[in-house]
Amino acid sequence: MNLHPVSLVGAGPGDPELLTVRALRRIEAADVVLADDLIDPRVLALVKGRLLRVGKRGGCVSTDQHFIHALMIREARAGHRVVRLKGGDPFVFGRGGEEVDALRDAGLDVEVVSGLTSGIAGPAAVGIPVTDRRATPGVILVTGHPGEGRSEPDWAALARTGLTLVIYMGVARAADITARLLAAGLRADLPAAVVSAAHTERQRHAVTTLARLPDCIAEQRLTSPALIVVGEVAAQADAARLGALAAPPEAQVMAG
Ligand code: SAH
C-alpha cells in the first residue's frame, strides 16, 4: 500500500490567519486530524476529514501519549492521510520529538510542518519584540513545568545570562519561579509581562515588575495558556501599537 507520510502540523497560537500555507493545505487534505486541546476552534473549523480531540492540558488529565502514538500509527497504516495538529510549533514543548520517534519506529514517514510558536508570536501580539537588540542580545524559551521526573531549569543560571526569558506553562508556578529569579539577583523592578490566550478571541495581557508578577497574575486572573516574559523588552507591551492594529476591540491593554 502507498502510505502517505504522517504530518505533524503546527497550528500557530490561535488565529487561523497565522497558519502557514502548508499547514492549511495539510489540514484541508487530511482524512483524519488528531488535535490537541489548545487548538483554536477557528482552526478546527477548517478540518474536512474526521476530527479526533486528543487533549493534553497543562500536564493534567490527558490522553495517554502512547495511545496517541498507537492511534496515529493505526490510521496511517489504514492508508489514511493523518495530520497531528499541535498548538504553536510542533517541536517547541509539544512532545513533537517523541511523536516523530514513535512514528519512525513504526516504519512510517513523518513530515514536520513548522508553526509560529506562541512564545514569539504571543509577546509580539502585544508589542513585545523578544530580542530587541537595544535591550538584550537574545531570548531563552523555557518551560515552567518540566513535567514529572524531569529536572527543574537552572533559574539562577538563566537569570545570569541577561537574556529575555519567555516562560511557557509558567503561570501556575509563577510565585516559585519569581522567587528563584529574584534570589538569583534579577532586579525587583525588572519589567515582566503576561500574555494569555494570545492571538485568540480571549487574548489579555498585563505588564508589571518581576516582584509583582505573582500578585499581578492573581489580581488580573491571567490563566493558562499564558506566556510570561521577563526582561527589559516586556516594558514595550505598554505601547500596544501592534495590539491596537491586530486585536479585536475587546482585547485592550491591561496594565497590572
Ligand atoms: N508548541 C506550543 C507550546 C505547547 S506547550 C507552541 O509552540 O506554542 C503549551 C504552553 O504554550 C501553554 O501552557 C502556554 O504557556 C503556551 N501557549 C500556547 N498557546 C498559547 C497562546 N495562544 N497564548 C499564550 N500562551 C500559549
Side-chain angles (χ1 to χ4, degrees):
M1 188 186 324
N2 179 19
L3 291 186
H4 305 285
V6 176
S7 302
L8 244 64
V9 175
D15 188 336
E17 291 201 347
L18 297 181
L19 287 170
T20 64
V21 175
R22 187 174 296 173
L24 179 61
R25 287 190 176 138
R26 295 296 182 274
I27 291 168
E28 287 183 340
D31 297 309
V32 55
V33 173
L34 285 77
D36 278 345
D37 263 348
L38 283 180
I39 309 295
D40 194 286
R42 295 167 295 173
V43 173
L44 295 179
L46 300 168
V47 173
K48 296 177 173 164
R50 257 181 310 135
L51 174 63
L52 305 176
R53 307 293 300 272
V54 287
K56 292 214 147 285
R57 198 167 255 287
C60 305
V61 182
S62 57
T63 312
D64 180 69
Q65 191 68 36
H66 295 292
F67 174 78
I68 297 174
H69 297 167
L71 197 56
M72 286 194 287
I73 292 165
R74 193 184 72 198
E75 292 288 345
R77 285 189 178 147
H80 299 148
R81 282 176 217 267
V82 179
V83 160
R84 172 74 173 109
L85 193 56
K86 304 179 75 70
D89 183 279
F91 274 2
V92 180
F93 303 124
R95 304 196 193 200
E98 292 164 48
E99 295 185 5
V100 166
D101 284 351
L103 291 161
R104 294 211 171 123
D105 287 349
L108 295 164
D109 264 353
V110 193
E111 167 199 50
V112 177
V113 180
S114 301
L116 265 136
T117 189
S118 60
I120 310 286
V126 300
I128 302 174
V130 289
T131 67
D132 191 325
R133 70 174 188 174
R134 295 167 296 182
T136 179
V139 62
I140 290 171
L141 305 182
V142 62
T143 177
H145 178 96
E148 203 81 350
R150 318 251 160 208
S151 54
E152 183 76 16
D154 184 344
W155 295 103
L158 298 185
R160 280 194 296 275
T161 63
L163 303 179
T164 302
L165 301 180
V166 173
I167 305 167
Y168 292 62
M169 297 170 272
V171 281
R173 291 195 53 227
D176 187 26
I177 294 167
T178 299
R180 290 170 191 252
L181 293 175
L182 289 171
L186 286 190
R187 284 176 10 239
D189 66 349
L190 188 65
V194 182
V195 190
S196 173
H199 290 291
T200 78
E201 282 160 353
R202 292 166 293 112
Q203 174 177 310
R204 294 198 304 137
H205 78 282
V207 191
T208 182
T209 60
L210 181 58
R212 289 214 72 253
L213 179 66
D215 285 345
C216 173
I217 289 171
E219 286 160 16
Q220 307 284 347
R221 295 196 174 82
L222 292 162
T223 51
S224 178
L227 281 321
I228 296 172
V229 183
V230 178
E232 298 294 348
V233 295
Q236 296 189 49
D238 266 336
R241 40 190 199 279
L242 302 180
L245 288 176
E250 64 269 26
Q252 294 297 327
V253 179
M254 291 180 24

